[in-house]
Amino acid sequence: MKIWLNGAMADARDVRIDPADRGFLLGDGLFETMLALHGHILFADEHMLRLGAATDLIGLPLPCSLAEIEMACADLLDENELDEAPRASLRVTVTRGPAPRGLALPAAPKPTVLITCAAIGEAPMRMSLVTATPRRNPWSPSSRLKALPYLDNLLAKEEAREKGADDALLLDTNGNIACTSAANIFLWEGDRLVTPSTNCGILPGITRAALFELAPEIGIELREEEIAPAQLARISGAFVTNSLVGIVPVTNIDGRDIPAHPMTARLAAAYELLLDAAEEED
């Protein structure tokens, strides 16, 4: 498997990450995960803009341009013969690079940029959720970033697995619904669609943003709100979204069956048309 590291293509078995890299030692870094369909990287510009905004926010200077990273992603698919794969994932990881011990930011950082890719299977048809113990912290800057520290997420995911669910439902520290371990969540209240506000410690997803543009075009009212768990007893449907799975209906939350809302299928169909159009433009 070929990878792209700091401007060069190489075999994954031959590369080396510096043991003093702050991404490994401190989780001091960011990442983006993107879906490629037959070599077309979906929402590539949006992912790069989010990465650029995040690096600016944490003061992490990129050693190359976002355009160069985007081009390297396409080249990496070609190198791994995934340019015609039905579905492939790309991950761009950026760290502050190797530095002396301690928490203080290095005066002259030498960031690490790593890009990897892999073929992936189809997205799940449905998903069950269970409320997990970890909480999202709305006051943490990293809650709104695709930041490397994912310990809370993976512990929540494992807790859900142990309880027989597909994924975890996370609340924020105020007790409101936030997200799943790796996806945004949407809830139907009749024909009205709601999703947790960015005030709830969520990562504003790329697919989430696409739905805010798409929903009004097909007559769906979509709002972001602070959603108390008690509202789950009144919902008429639910689904989750992220860049790799798209839109996946939720069929059960905390042991309660969630009905299939007819508008979820309509929204998913419109989203697939959006992706098809993006492929044709490539």
Side-chain angles (χ1 to χ4, degrees):
M1 178 65 71
K2 298 289 187 180
I3 60 95
W4 190 93
L5 179 64
N6 296 331
M9 206 76 68
D11 193 292
R13 295 170 296 182
D14 300 330
V15 299
R16 173 184 178 274
I17 301 292
D18 194 309
D21 195 289
R22 288 173 61 96
F24 169 68
L25 296 176
L26 300 172
D28 186 3
L30 305 159
F31 72 101
E32 285 289 331
T33 304
M34 296 170 283
L35 176 65
L37 302 178
H38 302 99
H40 175 74
I41 304 169
L42 300 178
F43 303 112
D45 291 346
E46 289 83 352
H47 281 283
M48 291 300 101
L49 285 172
R50 184 169 69 177
L51 178 62
T55 56
D56 289 344
L57 183 63
I58 68 171
L60 197 166
L62 285 171
C64 53
S65 70
L66 294 171
E68 288 174 308
I69 293 176
E70 188 173 336
M71 184 177 298
C73 288
D75 291 342
L76 187 62
L77 291 174
D78 290 341
E79 284 287 331
N80 286 286
E81 299 182 348
L82 293 174
D83 51 314
E84 296 296 331
R87 289 170 55 83
S89 67
L90 283 153
R91 172 171 164 140
V92 178
T93 305
V94 182
T95 79
R96 211 176 297 269
R101 291 175 57 84
L103 297 181
L105 298 184
K110 298 178 180 179
T112 298
V113 181
L114 170 67
I115 309 175
T116 58
C117 65
I120 59 173
E122 293 296 323
M125 299 294 293
R126 62 192 64 82
M127 188 173 292
S128 60
L129 304 177
V130 64
T131 304
T133 305
R135 296 287 183 103
R136 299 285 293 183
N137 180 7
W139 295 100
S140 170
S142 66
S143 67
R144 294 177 179 83
L145 303 176
K146 199 82 170 173
L148 289 183
Y150 249 52
L151 185 60
D152 284 350
N153 304 62
L154 68 88
L155 291 177
K157 178 83 171 184
E158 179 61 15
E159 181 180 340
R161 186 194 67 80
E162 291 175 349
K163 293 179 178 178
D166 297 314
D167 202 357
L169 178 64
L170 298 175
L171 308 181
D172 67 13
T173 52
N174 295 316
N176 294 313
I177 292 170
C179 54
T180 75
S181 71
N184 293 121
I185 187 167
F186 293 76
L187 307 172
W188 290 102
E189 295 180 341
D191 290 333
R192 180 174 174 268
L193 187 58
V194 297
T195 193
S197 163
T198 53
N199 295 329
C200 298
I202 69 162
L203 172 73
I206 300 296
T207 306
R208 178 183 185 272
L211 294 192
F212 267 97
E213 294 187 10
L214 187 59
E217 294 178 3
I218 59 174
I220 295 174
E221 178 188 0
L222 173 56
R223 304 289 183 190
E224 56 176 356
E225 300 176 354
E226 294 182 358
I227 306 169
Q231 291 176 240
L232 293 174
R234 303 191 299 273
I235 65 172
S236 51
F239 61 87
V240 299
T241 65
N242 72 23
S243 293
L244 294 186
V245 303
I247 297 174
V248 179
V250 173
T251 56
N252 189 285
I253 301 178
D254 291 330
R256 175 178 175 267
D257 288 338
I258 305 299
H261 197 287
M263 295 297 283
T264 297
R266 181 180 174 188
L267 188 57
Y271 182 72
E272 288 300 319
L273 288 175
L274 178 66
L275 300 189
D276 290 344
E279 274 196 272
E280 291 174 2
E281 291 174 3
D282 189 35

